[in-house]
Amino acid sequence: MPTVEVTDLADGDFLLDVREDDEWQAGHAEGALHIPISDFVARYGELTEAAPQDGRVHVICRSGGRSAQVAMYLVQQGIDAVNVDGGMQVWAAAGRPVVNAEGQSGFVL
């Protein structure tokens, strides 16, 4: 499974958050695309429309388990996708900004 560290991500890298709605609302990376894993197959078209044509999709969840599943699926579809190791827990611990649904300071649920 292709994996990257949170510290490898640059500002502007395309980030797909596959956590559920309550997790997203509590706190997420600003600018990430949110498609919960439970809706992923039905909403797959949203990803293909939003993802950069020749860019990489960085998939993130809370700790890395769900995002690994989605990243593997995307790789099987021919998309350049990687799992973000440690997920939003490591993201927040590394001091990366986390915002809630209102754009205020958030937290990882």
Side-chain angles (χ1 to χ4, degrees), residues 61-98:
C61 66
R62 182 173 186 267
S63 61
R66 291 172 284 179
S67 54
Q69 294 175 30
V70 172
M72 182 69 75
Y73 174 80
L74 293 174
V75 167
Q76 291 170 347
Q77 305 309 307
I79 294 174
D80 180 9
V82 294
N83 184 36
V84 178
D85 192 41
M88 285 300 297
Q89 290 178 318
V90 172
W91 178 278
R96 294 283 186 112
V98 177

Side-chain angles (χ1 to χ4, degrees), residues 14-70:
F14 186 82
L15 193 62
L16 170 65
D17 190 323
V18 297
R19 296 174 303 144
E20 296 303 321
D21 288 335
D22 59 335
E23 295 171 288
W24 169 265
Q25 291 170 5
H28 57 271
E30 193 168 16
L33 173 65
H34 178 230
I35 303 177
I37 193 170
S38 59
D39 296 338
F40 189 75
V41 174
R43 294 176 57 189
Y44 179 75
E46 291 177 41
L47 171 67
T48 58
E49 286 181 22
Q53 292 299 324
D54 295 323
R56 174 171 276 180
V57 175
H58 300 85
V59 188
I60 197 166
C61 66
R62 182 173 186 267
S63 61
R66 291 172 284 179
S67 54
Q69 294 175 30
V70 172

